[in-house]
């Protein structure tokens, strides 16, 4: 047996509905994205995203998630994104024994630190979610020191998506697309657990180099691994 003692898994990587905006693009790219997305859904046998009915009829979103956790024996699911931190907090209250959530808002916001503090201390959220390819400010910019210090003092995890972002037609080049862009922060704030999902989304070597240097960096293996 791989494990000597029974345990129930905690899944740290779930998503509630949220918006991503990559900027305006030519219709050719949106058509390409739609065609590839439809092909991927067929390949992986994904259900129709517009179909919210199962054998029990229409169910609220969080009830459907509860059923999914029970089906696969998952004890707790952590959500990384929602349309706002307030919405995240409101939705996970449906079953706080089963659901937790991270704050999700841009580092570029003037009140990014204050919003993170509010999300943790008032809304009860458990960490911070970011997208490297959507973050234009450098992670080690001096203006972010209060935010990183806050996370380090409380040993709160940060999950940052690096690498390719979006489906076909998505982002493949950006100043913060490489996991090594968080290197200076990871070295300076060793008490922040930094989680990088999807094996670095194509940046395998860079991610392994980062892990070799920084014991506070962890790899999340979720994804289709295409």
């Amino acid at each position: 047996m791989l494990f000597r003692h029974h345990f129930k898994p905690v899944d740290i990587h779930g998503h509630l509905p949220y918006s991503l905006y990559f900027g305006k693009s030519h219709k050719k790219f949106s058509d390409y994205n739609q065609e590839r997305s439809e092909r991927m859904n067929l390949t992986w046998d994904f259900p129709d995203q517009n179909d919210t009915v199962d054998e029990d009829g229409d169910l609220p979103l969080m009830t459907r998630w509860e059923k999914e956790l029970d089906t696969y024996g998952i004890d707790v699911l952590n959500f990384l994104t929602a349309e706002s931190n307030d919405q995240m907090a409101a939705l996970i209250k449906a079953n706080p024994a089963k659901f937790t959530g991270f704050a999700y808002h841009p580092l570029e916001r003037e009140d990014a630190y204050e919003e993170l503090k509010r999300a943790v201390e008032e809304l009860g959220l458990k960490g911070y979610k970011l997208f490297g390819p959507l973050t234009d400010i450098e992670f080690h910019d001096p203006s972010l020191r209060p935010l990183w210090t806050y996370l380090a003092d409380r040993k709160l995890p940060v999950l940052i998506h690096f690498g390719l972002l979006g489906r076909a037609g998505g982002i493949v080049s950006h100043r913060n697309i490489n996991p090594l862009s968080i290197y200076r922060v990871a070295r300076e704030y060793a008490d922040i657990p930094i989680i990088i999902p999807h094996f670095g989304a194509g940046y395998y070597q860079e991610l392994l180099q980062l892990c070799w240097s920084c014991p506070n960096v962890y790899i999340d293996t979720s994804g289709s691994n295409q």
Side-chain angles (χ1 to χ4, degrees):
M1 294 178 61
L2 180 60
F3 301 107
R4 294 182 181 274
H5 303 287
H6 176 72
F7 69 93
K8 289 187 176 182
V10 173
D11 187 339
I12 198 172
H13 195 134
H15 289 282
L16 292 169
Y18 69 108
S19 301
L20 278 180
Y21 180 65
F22 296 152
K24 187 177 181 180
S25 62
H26 193 280
K27 184 177 183 298
K28 181 175 289 188
F29 287 91
S30 58
D31 290 346
Y32 172 58
N33 180 294
Q34 182 176 351
E35 185 272 328
R36 285 294 300 270
S37 296
E38 291 173 355
R39 193 191 320 167
M40 180 178 172
N41 288 342
L42 290 173
T43 301
W44 292 91
D45 196 26
F46 289 150
D48 187 340
Q49 296 298 307
N50 295 316
D51 184 4
T52 60
V53 179
D54 63 11
E55 65 273 13
D56 297 320
D58 283 318
L59 290 174
L61 175 63
M62 302 313 287
T63 303
R64 291 163 59 205
W65 271 115
E66 289 177 7
K67 289 168 62 68
E68 193 79 356
L69 299 190
D70 291 341
T71 297
Y72 293 100
I74 298 171
D75 195 34
V76 176
L77 174 60
N78 180 74
F79 291 105
L80 299 171
T81 59
E83 285 293 353
S84 70
N85 292 331
D86 289 290
Q87 185 186 63
M88 172 72 80
L91 287 170
I92 63 178
K93 280 182 180 177
N95 191 339
K98 284 284 188 182
F99 304 128
T100 60
F102 278 15
Y104 167 58
H105 57 275
L107 276 179
E108 288 91 344
R109 280 179 52 164
E110 289 186 4
D111 66 340
Y113 163 65
E114 289 79 10
E115 174 61 12
L116 175 64
K117 187 176 180 181
R118 185 184 76 89
V120 172
E121 298 181 12
E122 297 182 24
L123 301 180
L125 303 185
K126 305 299 185 182
Y128 194 22
K129 159 69 175 178
L130 294 166
F131 288 96
L134 296 180
T135 303
D136 290 332
I137 190 174
E138 290 185 328
F139 289 111
H140 52 270
D141 189 282
S143 67
L144 300 177
R145 186 172 295 276
L147 183 145
W148 297 126
T149 300
Y150 180 83
L151 290 165
D153 287 346
R154 288 155 182 77
K155 296 181 171 59
L156 293 173
V158 180
L159 189 145
I160 310 175
H161 177 114
F162 291 105
L164 309 184
L165 179 61
R167 293 189 177 181
I171 298 174
V172 298
S173 178
H174 188 275
R175 69 186 299 176
N176 286 326
I177 200 169
N178 190 321
L180 291 177
S181 62
I182 198 68
Y183 169 71
R184 290 173 59 176
V185 171
R187 293 283 293 189
E188 184 172 353
Y189 301 94
D191 286 328
I192 300 177
I194 297 173
I195 305 165
I196 299 178
H198 317 311
F199 291 105
Y203 284 78
Y204 304 106
Q205 177 174 313
E206 292 83 353
L207 178 54
L208 291 174
Q209 289 173 338
L210 185 63
C211 290
W212 178 84
S213 178
C214 305
N216 52 324
V217 174
Y218 301 86
I219 297 176
D220 166 355
T221 63
S222 65
S224 61
N225 298 321
Q226 297 176 83

